[in-house]
Amino acid sequence: MHEQTSANPADTPPAEGPTLFDWEFATDPYPAYAWLREHSPVHRTKLPSGVEAWLVTRYADARQALADQRLSKNPAHHAEPAHAKGKTGIPGERKAELMTHLLNIDPPDHTRLRRLVSKAFTPRRVAEFAPRVQALTDHLIDAFAARGEADLIHEFAFPLPIYAICEMLGVPREDQDDFRDWAGMMIRHGGGPRGGVARSVKQMRTYLGELIHRKRDDLGDDLISDLIRASDHGDHLTEGEATAMAFILLFAGFETTVNLIGNGVHSLFVNPDQRERLQASLAAGESALLATGVEELLRYDGPVELATWRFATEPLTLGGMSVAAGDPVLVVLAAADRDPERFADPDTLDLSRTDNQHLGYGHGIHYCLGAPLARLEGQTALATLLTRLPDLELAVPSQDLRWRGGLIMRGLRTLPVRFTAQNT
């Protein structure tokens, strides 16, 4: 996307501002976000769905909004006109009765459910899972290493988190390919008609409900079994809540990591000096640059472009603008994380950046529960790719890559690469 001010004198920005949400914007939204931060930091716009919402683009305003309890996650607070009904949130979740999950509720229910899920999603469990993530990573690379070429999205970045979260949830191996198919439908149709995604959501909901029933008689060491134990031990997790929680752990836990890996590899390709630094650090057996590097990749071109929907429960002022009760508010994480008021040289990728309180995982009570797993998968995927396939490179010009449309997520459709074929 071209800078929106290029055809105008520097002191007379265009009155209407940049075009948002078209394909050119999807390829590179950052110049448009820079314009909004400077000229209209809390910006009222009509989304492609026809829903009107406020976009929050400055870091300070974004951080405030993410923690403001007057901005509810519950869609019941949306003062929606008829044409907007069902056009917010995850397609199909309303009809599939999957609304009672952490992305859609407020305290005290949010506090109760998050406490229960946190018991099952502990850092200890994630750490114990690290060898399995490494084994999955190596297995996926083994499948294409001898060819000397691959599509890193469909052959690597996509299946890795799907199989990982399925195993953590306790989905039997023989059923995991079904989840891969359903998740693939969500990825392919994320920027198009909501119906394709809604069908996959319904299939997932039906399967998870049946799996919870089966596991009641055969509890294991997995997240779904832990959710069942919580609901059976007087902690007031209903069967519907358990199903919705299992669904959102899977839904929120795969596409974000697909994009973290895909966007991260792409960012390293277009910043070869940083890629060389990381490879040299890995070759020396160091881990510090990998750890700070994944956080910087999350800030620089993260997997979640806009935080999920919020709705004002009362009139409030945000960034000097009056937001009416019932108005939707979308915090633009991608804009906030490149705010020069918060980050030095924000458009520069610096893998050693340490002052990096990015908002890629959110902020406040809705901070991403799966952040430790996403970090583990991102670090494992990048380190293994760069170590096993050291001359990995893009197989097409970067400008020929296509980004998926859609509102919340930011990710590539494909990432064709080539490298020296390896004997596995």
Side-chain angles (χ1 to χ4, degrees):
M1 177 157 189
H2 302 295
E3 289 281 1
Q4 295 297 324
T5 57
S6 58
N8 301 274
D11 57 346
T12 55
E16 304 84 17
T19 300
L20 304 177
F21 307 120
D22 62 4
W23 288 107
E24 188 179 6
F25 170 86
T27 299
D28 181 10
Y30 296 103
Y33 288 148
W35 190 95
L36 290 177
R37 274 196 313 267
E38 184 174 355
H39 301 291
S40 185
V42 178
H43 183 75
R44 178 90 169 178
T45 191
K46 180 176 285 190
L47 304 173
S49 63
V51 177
E52 292 194 5
W54 295 94
L55 302 180
V56 181
T57 57
R58 286 181 181 168
Y59 183 91
D61 295 334
R63 192 173 163 91
Q64 174 197 331
L66 290 171
D68 195 326
Q69 295 196 16
R70 297 171 299 174
L71 293 174
S72 168
K73 298 292 290 173
N74 189 340
H77 291 291
H78 185 192
E80 54 186 349
H83 76 272
K85 192 164 184 63
K87 291 184 177 180
T88 64
I90 299 169
E93 63 179 353
R94 208 180 291 230
K95 285 187 177 179
E97 298 178 352
L98 287 169
M99 297 294 287
T100 54
H101 58 68
L102 291 176
L103 296 184
N104 279 346
I105 56 175
D106 305 314
D109 284 336
H110 177 272
T111 309
R112 173 177 62 89
L113 291 182
R114 186 172 177 111
R115 185 181 68 249
L116 293 174
V117 179
S118 296
K119 291 179 183 177
F121 213 88
T122 61
R124 176 189 62 81
R125 183 186 288 277
V126 172
E128 290 173 349
F129 198 56
R132 185 61 191 145
V133 172
Q134 184 65 63
L136 285 168
T137 301
D138 283 319
H139 174 73
L140 291 168
I141 294 175
D142 288 346
F144 58 74
R147 290 207 323 263
E149 62 180 16
D151 173 5
L152 279 189
I153 298 298
H154 292 282
E155 296 182 71
F156 183 69
F158 171 64
L160 175 60
I162 277 290
Y163 290 137
I165 196 66
C166 278
E167 292 202 13
M168 289 195 80
L169 285 169
V171 176
R173 294 276 177 93
E174 61 268 22
D175 295 340
Q176 291 180 9
D177 283 338
D178 289 335
F179 269 85
R180 181 173 176 167
D181 291 343
W182 297 329
M185 181 69 72
M186 295 179 184
I187 289 278
R188 286 192 297 276
H189 293 281
R194 292 168 67 88
V197 179
R199 282 191 295 275
S200 294
V201 167
K202 184 177 180 181
Q203 290 170 311
M204 276 192 185
R205 193 255 183 268
T206 300
Y207 175 86
L208 287 170
E210 294 170 351
L211 181 61
I212 286 172
H213 274 295
R214 295 205 308 270
K215 279 189 173 290
R216 282 193 184 281
D217 300 322
D218 186 23
L219 294 175
D221 184 25
D222 55 70
L223 289 178
I224 287 180
S225 294
D226 285 349
L227 292 175
I228 293 169
R229 289 187 187 98
S231 60
D232 286 347
H233 291 167
D235 280 334
H236 310 299
L237 186 69
T238 68
E239 187 167 300
E241 288 172 339
T243 304
M245 286 306 309
F247 166 75
I248 202 60
L249 287 173
L250 190 144
F251 187 90
F254 87 88
E255 191 174 1
T256 50
T257 308
V258 176
N259 295 346
L260 167 58
I261 297 170
N263 297 7
V265 172
H266 175 258
S267 293
L268 293 176
F269 282 148
V270 297
N271 293 273
D273 60 321
Q274 295 298 301
R275 181 246 183 94
E276 289 167 11
R277 285 181 70 196
L278 181 55
Q279 284 186 291
S281 174
L282 292 169
E286 300 165 355
S287 61
L289 191 64
L290 177 65
T292 58
V294 166
E295 299 308 305
E296 173 68 347
L297 292 168
L298 280 159
R299 182 201 68 82
Y300 179 76
D301 197 12
V304 182
E305 191 165 340
L306 282 73
T308 49
W309 295 82
R310 284 166 167 77
F311 308 93
T313 58
E314 60 185 76
L316 58 98
T317 300
L318 189 57
M321 302 301 290
S322 297
V323 177
D327 279 359
V329 174
L330 290 165
V331 178
V332 188
L333 305 179
D337 280 344
R338 291 209 188 186
D339 188 343
E341 293 295 313
R342 175 60 186 83
F343 299 100
D345 299 318
D347 295 321
T348 298
L349 180 70
D350 177 6
L351 298 184
S352 59
R353 188 186 297 268
T354 52
D355 181 18
N356 194 4
Q357 280 192 300
H358 64 78
L359 299 176
Y361 291 125
H363 172 64
I365 64 169
H366 291 283
Y367 183 84
C368 176
L369 193 67
L373 179 61
R375 286 189 173 104
L376 170 65
E377 292 172 340
Q379 290 181 20
T380 304
L382 289 174
T384 309
L385 276 175
L386 294 176
T387 301
R388 289 191 55 181
L389 308 173
D391 61 349
L392 187 73
E393 65 179 7
L394 264 177
V396 299
S398 178
Q399 61 267 27
D400 290 348
L401 295 173
R402 292 292 173 263
W403 296 78
R404 291 194 304 276
L407 194 62
I408 301 298
M409 300 291 184
R410 173 166 171 77
L412 288 160
R413 290 175 176 267
T414 61
L415 186 57
V417 297
R418 60 188 170 220
F419 47 88
T420 299
Q422 308 283 319
N423 293 319
T424 57

